[in-house]
Amino acid sequence: MHGPVVVAWVLTAVFLLITFPCVHRLVSLDYGRLGAEVRHGDLAELMFVLGMVAMFSPVGGPIPVAGWQVVFGGAAVWFAVSWWRSRRAGRGHELSAHHAVSAVVMLYMVTAMPHDTATHGPWLNMSTMDGSAWPPVAVLGAVYFFVDAARSGLRAIRPGDPGPREPGLLPRTASRSIMGLGMGYMLLVAL
């Protein structure tokens, strides 16, 4: 990745910190009451955060690029189908759509990176995208994630509602905001 190694390590640490609330929600929330969509969203968030850790880390990750492509491709299909089903049912489709877009963009990022073993080896670490990448896709993705980060950030800090808030909402929206900023930054820096 172009840019100072210190920035890469700081961002790696930030995304590692986001794993803790993700795991905490997964082990402590009552998903029987909250619904499968919320559980799937929390699992997806953990997967995306780990992908960001691997991409930002100057060391790279323990999973080869092809493994990440399978994971993100499978997640894209899963959430696209989930979006389609929930859209028809009239509930929960916004979260599934967001995760489908996130999975597609993560797949785009890992696929658009150069994969020559002389420079990077088979490990995932973010660098500039090769010439076959479509820069308009990166720019559109960055705009989407910056806007979503702003919306999520505002949702996380809005004044308290009179009723009870959904368990885990604050860390979930704060994490989504940080993820959006990180994804947008990564897409623009990689161009």
Side-chain angles (χ1 to χ4, degrees), residues 21 26 76 90 149 176:
L26 287 167
R176 183 169 167 171

Side-chain angles (χ1 to χ4, degrees), residues 15-185:
F15 286 102
L16 273 174
L17 288 173
I18 295 175
T19 63
F20 293 108
C22 292
V23 171
H24 182 270
R25 283 193 308 273
L26 287 167
V27 299
S28 66
L29 293 182
D30 179 10
Y31 290 110
R33 184 179 60 77
L34 294 173
E37 293 88 9
V38 175
R39 181 184 67 231
H40 296 155
D42 286 345
L43 283 169
E45 182 182 339
L46 180 60
M47 177 184 60
F48 296 144
V49 167
L50 291 174
M52 294 294 280
V53 166
M55 282 189 257
F56 274 120
S57 171
V59 176
I63 300 173
V65 171
W68 285 109
Q69 288 171 323
V70 168
V71 167
F72 294 138
V77 170
W78 173 272
F79 284 107
V81 169
S82 178
W83 167 78
W84 182 257
R85 291 177 64 201
S86 62
R87 185 186 64 81
R88 291 180 56 202
R91 59 171 169 56
H93 61 278
E94 187 272 334
L95 186 60
S96 293
H98 171 72
H99 288 311
V101 168
S102 297
V104 166
V105 171
M106 293 289 276
L107 179 62
Y108 164 76
M109 284 193 294
V110 299
T111 303
M113 287 185 251
H115 294 72
D116 60 339
T117 55
T119 307
H120 299 285
W123 311 115
L124 178 64
N125 53 15
M126 197 63 192
S127 61
T128 57
M129 295 179 185
D130 66 18
S132 65
W134 295 347
V137 174
V139 172
L140 287 173
V143 168
Y144 170 81
F145 284 109
F146 286 140
V147 169
D148 186 70
R151 284 182 46 221
S152 298
L154 289 173
R155 187 172 180 209
I157 62 171
R158 73 172 180 218
D161 295 332
R165 295 184 84 175
E166 174 188 325
L169 179 66
L170 180 61
R172 188 178 294 117
T173 54
S175 294
R176 183 169 167 171
S177 183
I178 294 168
M179 276 293 296
L181 292 172
M183 294 270 291
Y185 170 78

